[in-house]
Each structure stands twice: as C-alpha cells, then as structure tokens.
Amino acid sequence: MNGIRFRLNGKDVCYEGSATDRLLDVLRDTYDMKSVKCGCKEGECGACAVLIDSVLYNSCCVAVGAVEAHEILTVEGFKETEQFKALSKAFAELSAVQCGFCIPGMVLASQALLMKNPHPTKEQVQEGLSGNLCRCTGYNAIVNAVLNASKEGDGLW
C-alpha cells in the first residue's frame, strides 16, 4: 500500500489506513491534532473545521482519501502565523472565548473569511461564521473579534 499523501500544517505526511476513514478521526487519532473537535459528525456545527487548500471544510464530512495531494491546515499549524496572532489577540481582548470548544473552528472560519475579504462588514462576518455553532457566547463577541482583527491586522490578509 502506498498510502495517502498530503501536507498537514506544512509537513508532508502519508496515511496508511483506509481511504474511507473520516479526516476528522485521522487528524485527531493519527496526527494528534486535538484542535479538530468532534461535535456533531454531520457537518452542522463547524467544530471540526479545517482549511483544505485554503478553503474551509468540516472534516467530519471528508474521507481522508479525498485529501490526497492537498494541503490541510489546522489550528496547530495556523498558530505559528501573524494572522493567527491578530485573531487570537482580538478574541482575547473582546472576551470572545468562553468554554473554547468551538473556537478552533471559529478561528479557521474567520481566517477563510478574511482571506477572501480582508475588510468584511458585520453582516459578512455573521455569514462567514454561520456554519459554526457556539453555545456559550451568543456570537456578538466573536463577530466583534473578527472585525477587530480585520482592523488591527490590516495588511495581513
């Protein structure tokens, strides 16, 4: 078996399991990417969100075979960037994190949005984060954090 080769957080990896295994499980169990959370297993909550070739996907709905030769980014890899630092700072300053379960997915959804639109409106942020559920904050602080990161991190996206 040749395995399934892809880039994970900037490193080449080769998964030797079944191509039908869920990417969510492979990332958590094989590569120890604990930021990728299992929330619903149906693609409804966004807790398992990752960037595949810079596009946001719910990893619970992706078979690992589909990522052959693609680039996957989780928060573990994203946290080394200046963009993450701007988002992290904004989330902290605006108390946008409570329990933290949804935050990795929210941060990657924010990154996906800001890569497409570095200066979104409040409504565009709300739409960009609409695939991510949070049961703690009521969303206003998270939306404001993304808007603040966009402003304070001007030029990063």
Side-chain angles (χ1 to χ4, degrees):
M1 182 172 172
N2 292 334
I4 299 159
R5 297 179 189 285
F6 56 96
R7 286 185 65 77
L8 176 58
N9 297 327
K11 297 178 182 166
D12 292 324
V13 297
C14 182
Y15 179 66
E16 298 294 338
S18 172
T20 61
D21 290 345
R22 284 188 315 174
L23 181 59
L24 164 66
D25 299 324
V26 171
L27 292 174
R28 286 185 60 82
D29 300 340
T30 303
Y31 298 105
D32 203 34
M33 299 293 127
K34 299 304 185 197
S35 71
V36 184
K37 306 285 197 274
C38 183
C40 70
K41 298 181 186 178
E42 297 177 351
E44 295 294 325
C45 73
C48 67
V50 298
L51 294 176
I52 302 174
D53 297 333
S54 300
V55 177
L56 191 69
Y57 285 90
N58 289 328
S59 63
C60 70
C61 295
V62 176
V64 70
V67 301
E68 174 84 41
H70 291 279
E71 174 85 27
I72 299 171
L73 183 67
T74 69
V75 167
E76 286 85 353
F78 183 51
K79 71 180 180 181
E80 304 301 325
T81 68
E82 292 301 314
Q83 294 163 330
F84 174 83
K85 291 174 187 169
L87 282 165
S88 179
K89 180 180 178 194
F91 272 67
E93 287 177 348
L94 294 171
S95 300
V97 178
Q98 288 189 18
C99 85
F101 189 81
C102 70
I103 295 304
M106 288 283 189
V107 166
L108 290 176
S110 301
Q111 171 66 358
L113 169 67
L114 292 172
M115 285 188 308
K116 290 180 188 172
N117 182 358
H119 302 287
T121 64
K122 179 180 180 180
E123 292 76 21
Q124 290 168 327
V125 173
Q126 289 169 330
E127 183 179 331
L129 300 180
S130 65
N132 297 75
L133 299 179
C134 176
R135 302 225 185 331
C136 299
T137 67
Y139 299 99
N140 289 331
I142 294 171
V143 169
N144 289 334
V146 176
L147 291 170
N148 191 52
S150 170
K151 179 181 162 192
E152 297 298 319
D154 191 28
L156 290 176
W157 291 278

